[in-house]
Every structure is written in structure tokens, then in C-alpha cells.
Amino acid sequence: MPDLSELDPRLAEAAAHLPLAEATLDRLRRPRSSLQVSLPVRGDDGQVRSYPGYRVRWDVTRGPGKGGVRFHPSVDRAGVERLALGMTVKTALLDLPYGGAKGGVRIDPKAVSTAEIERVARAWVSGTADVLGPERDIPAPDLYTNERVMAWMVDQWTATVRRHQPAAFTGKPLALGGSHGRATATADGAKHVIDALGTKLDLSGTPPTVAVQGFGNAGAELAEQLFHAGWRVVAVSDSQGGILAREGLDIPRVRRHKDAGRSLDGVICTGSVCDDPGHDLLEPGELLPLDVDLLVPAALGAAITADNAGDVSARVIVEVANGPVTADADAILAARGVTVVPDVLASSGGVTVSYFEWVQNRQGLRWSPEEVDRRLGERLRAAAEETWSRAEDLGAPLRTAASALALERLDVAARARDSLE
Ligand code: GLU
């Protein structure tokens, strides 16, 4: 079993400076449960093929497992485990009453029909049902899964447990017990963090400029919110390519053009930002070095590595994807004075509103959109400010500070469970 420093060297580094109980560290070294399943599903061609599926609860010291399920060709066990550890840190930093979990299916959702995605989603629930439940482990959307996929999953869950139990999944459609604000929660959370740290980070240019890598649920929504807040969004990209306009892109228009290319009935979007005509096109790799105030990686993990970190011109990076800046890249960026707002803080809006959804489901209530946003803003601003002041106290990067705060919360919970007094 790998050591914490192999799993997550930056977390191990933060842990090394804290008086953590050995039992706390021991809990974090390996998953509480790591399930791999094989999901035989009939394709539209009539053939049955098996997709590998996963559900990992990394740690449940602070509460049931919580985290998304991703459908992507890159999904493997080691990756899902690392992401589940990341969720453990994220929920602890936000002081949500959860542990950390993650799941996934290795599938190329762009290569199969909507009906096949539905069958895979239902098969994933059947295959992992033994480890799920509102007090055991609560899945949610992640990369290439959305509220429609959650609707199929909760429907399958109802059939499996033979009772209505909406709190077993979050990120559901409103009609099935979803929460207002969940669909835009990751972007809303990132915006609250940017607003809370904006003056400290010197993001108050007139207007500040931003480039957004990744134009999915979180990236497109954040780009639009920054656009409406008066920012100049000079470049955006997706898996097909990118576009640039120094005077600023009309983001609502770019979104309309991308959505016009929508296929697969809205499960995933195959349109591209490049479908909006009349802009300079960017080649892969041309967005990251752009001279902007803020760079937002909102696509896949490991977008900024030792190979390209030296090219980054922005003074601030806000990680909206999970794990977009590698450990090697972090060191290079720190040496160059680039501030990185870590994913465990900047992308925590999604799981925070998932928590609100779970609370509402368990109470049989529905909060108004204003109530959800007020509570999200309060939590995210508090976490951002707490992380900032811890970083100042430690003289360390924001990531180290966020890890330290999360590890301390885990330590308090582990000691409370283990105490003999
Ligand atoms: N997939 C999101 C994340 O990585 C949300 C998880 C959740 O809502 O449980 O934070």
C-alpha cells in the first residue's frame, strides 16, 4: 500500500508540520473501502460489453462517504482512490459532516448513445448498491455526469431498496428532490471564493482579465458570471479547441453556439466553443501562457505540469477542476510568485450545495434559491478567509493552509472516536 507521500505529496507535506495522532495518519494511508465492479451492458449494436466501475470511500471518520461519479475513458482505480482522498480533504475543509468518496466508470460517453449511458448509470447503481445509502455513501455528479444521470441513478436506487430515499444521491433534478442552485454550485462557489479573496489577490484590475480552460458545467458558468460581473474573459477552451478575443468574449453568445451543437439529448454536449464564429482560434496549449490576471483551469486533472508551469503568465490560478495543478508544477509556480487557490477550496461549491440538498431531503423541505446562495456564500467566504489567514500564519501556500485546516478537523474527529478517556 503506498505511503501518503506517494498518494498525495502535498498533503503529506502539510501533515508533517502538524501534531497529528498517528492513528489519524494511519486512517488516511489507505481507503476504507475500494470496490471495483464489472458492468455488463448491452450496447445499441446488440452486443454486451463490460465496463469497469468503481466506488471508493477513502475516509469516513467525519461522516458518510461523499463525492461524485465520473464517466470518462481515463477512469481507473488508482485515480478514483486519489480523488476520494481529495474529497476527504474537501469535506473536512468545508466542515461538512462527511468523509470523502469518489466513483466512476471507464467509458467514453461521447462514443455511445444516451440510452447506453442510462443503462451504464443503472448498472453502476446495481453494482455498487451494497456500499451506498444516505448514511453510508452519497454519490453526486462529476466529470461527464449531470442531473439527468443522477435521475436515472436515484430511480434505480428506488427500485433496488424499494423505498423513496432521495437523500441517497445529490445533484438530482429539482423534480426528484434536487436543490435550487446545485447545477451552478461549483461555479457559484468559485465566484464566492474569488470575491472573498479578490482584493487580497489583487484581482481588482479595471477590468480584470481571465482565461478559462474547460467550458463544461463549471467553466462555462463561471466564465458567464465573471462576464456579467464586468470581467474581460479573453479566452476559453474546451476539448475541441479554444478561442481568443483580446477585447473580451461575449460569453453568453459563446455558450449559445456551443449549446447549439448539443447532441445526445443533453447528457453531454458535443458542441464546441469553436462553433462561435469570428474569433481567433487557439491551438492546444496556447491558452495557459496568455497574459491575463486570472487563469482558471476547469477541465481535467494535471493540466498544469512541470512542462508548462514555467509558461504561465497569470499571477493567480483558481483551480475549478479537481487536481489541475500537479505537485511539481506547484513548486515552480510558487517560486515564480503565482498564487494558486486550491481545488479543495475553489471547487467546493458543488459538494457544499450537495450537502444542502441532503439536508433538505432529510427534512422534507425546499429552500429558496436565495436561501441556498446565502448559505453557500457564508460557508465559502468563511472557508476562504480562514484558509487565507492560516496561510499568512504559516507563511505557506494556500494549498498547504487548506490541507492543514482539513487535517486538523480529521484529527479532532479521529481522536474523539479513539479516545479511551
Ligand atoms: N463532484 C463534485 C466534487 O468533486 C461534487 C461532489 C458532491 O457533490 O458530492 O466536488
Side-chain angles (χ1 to χ4, degrees):
M1 189 50 66
D3 191 65
L4 191 58
S5 57
E6 282 166 52
L7 285 162
D8 189 333
R10 291 169 288 188
L11 188 64
E13 167 73 21
H17 299 294
L18 297 169
L20 302 175
E22 183 50 35
T24 304
L25 284 170
D26 205 34
R27 277 183 160 87
L28 290 175
R29 280 190 189 113
R30 54 191 75 82
R32 188 63 169 245
S33 136
S34 177
L35 177 66
Q36 174 168 358
V37 290
S38 186
L39 309 173
V41 169
R42 189 174 302 281
D44 292 334
D45 56 3
Q47 299 299 313
V48 175
R49 62 185 75 74
S50 288
Y51 293 101
Y54 306 88
R55 186 66 186 177
V56 176
R57 271 178 303 156
W58 192 270
D59 184 72
V60 290
T61 306
R62 302 184 66 261
K66 187 83 194 80
V69 188
R70 51 175 61 188
F71 286 2
H72 195 266
S74 68
V75 166
D76 63 14
R77 186 183 195 124
V80 174
E81 290 186 350
R82 254 194 307 278
L83 289 160
L85 171 58
M87 287 306 299
T88 305
V89 176
K90 200 184 268 193
T91 56
L93 174 66
L94 269 293
D95 203 11
L96 307 177
Y98 295 132
K102 203 76 165 198
V105 178
R106 191 182 315 142
I107 182 174
D108 181 359
K110 292 185 183 173
V112 298
S113 70
T114 305
E116 186 160 344
I117 293 177
E118 175 182 358
R119 291 192 288 274
V120 170
R122 290 182 182 278
W124 184 85
V125 172
S126 300
T128 58
D130 287 341
V131 298
L132 304 181
E135 281 149 4
R136 193 173 285 152
D137 185 0
I138 307 117
D142 198 78
L143 212 60
Y144 288 108
T145 52
N146 60 10
E147 63 174 40
R148 174 174 295 211
V149 176
M150 292 303 121
W152 295 322
M153 287 188 170
V154 78
D155 187 60
Q156 187 66 29
W157 180 256
T158 308
T160 307
V161 301
R162 306 186 81 74
R163 65 173 68 96
H164 185 68
Q165 207 172 43
F169 290 81
T170 61
K172 305 178 294 294
L174 266 183
L176 297 180
S179 174
H180 284 295
R182 178 61 186 85
T184 57
T186 308
D188 296 340
K191 180 69 169 48
H192 283 301
V193 170
I194 291 168
D195 289 346
L197 300 182
T199 48
K200 298 182 171 89
L201 291 169
D202 195 19
L203 286 176
S204 44
T206 45
T209 55
V210 57
V212 180
Q213 184 212 35
F215 210 68
N217 175 33
E221 177 64 28
L222 180 60
E224 182 157 349
Q225 291 190 16
L226 292 172
F227 170 86
H228 288 306
W231 285 57
R232 191 181 298 154
V233 186
V234 298
V236 296
S237 69
D238 59 22
S239 59
Q240 310 300 307
I243 49 175
L244 167 77
R246 271 280 152 211
E247 67 288 1
L249 293 160
D250 178 347
I251 294 298
R253 199 184 87 164
V254 177
R255 271 186 113 173
R256 275 197 305 281
H257 277 277
K258 175 158 177 156
D259 287 354
R262 191 179 279 273
S263 67
L264 300 182
D265 284 335
V267 174
I268 57 164
C269 176
T270 53
S272 168
V273 293
C274 309
D275 297 343
D276 185 14
H279 299 295
D280 294 336
L281 294 181
L282 290 168
E283 295 296 323
E286 282 183 351
L287 181 135
L288 294 179
L290 289 175
D291 182 14
V292 284
D293 297 310
L294 171 63
L295 176 63
V296 177
L300 293 172
I304 303 176
T305 65
D307 292 338
N308 58 15
D311 302 335
V312 170
S313 308
R315 305 318 298 157
V316 180
I317 294 175
V318 170
E319 291 186 317
V320 169
N322 282 308
V325 176
T326 64
D328 294 352
D330 247 351
I332 295 168
L333 293 166
R336 298 181 59 236
V338 180
T339 302
V340 179
V341 182
D343 54 359
V344 285
L345 176 63
S347 79
S348 62
V351 70
T352 302
V353 178
S354 274
Y355 163 58
F356 297 160
E357 182 175 334
W358 180 80
V359 169
Q360 291 169 79
N361 290 156
R362 287 159 68 93
Q363 296 184 330
L365 289 175
R366 170 159 294 154
W367 299 345
S368 68
E370 296 73 27
E371 172 88 5
V372 171
D373 194 56
R374 183 184 61 75
R375 288 177 184 261
L376 177 68
E378 268 172 25
R379 282 201 175 245
L380 276 267
R381 279 165 196 273
E385 275 154 23
E386 201 180 6
T387 304
W388 184 269
S389 56
R390 178 58 68 94
E392 282 191 329
D393 292 350
L394 293 173
L398 292 169
R399 194 189 309 279
T400 311
S403 300
L405 288 164
L407 288 165
E408 283 169 4
R409 288 208 175 100
L410 280 155
D411 193 51
V412 171
R415 286 177 194 265
R417 281 185 191 272
D418 299 344
S419 172
L420 291 175
E421 284 152 26

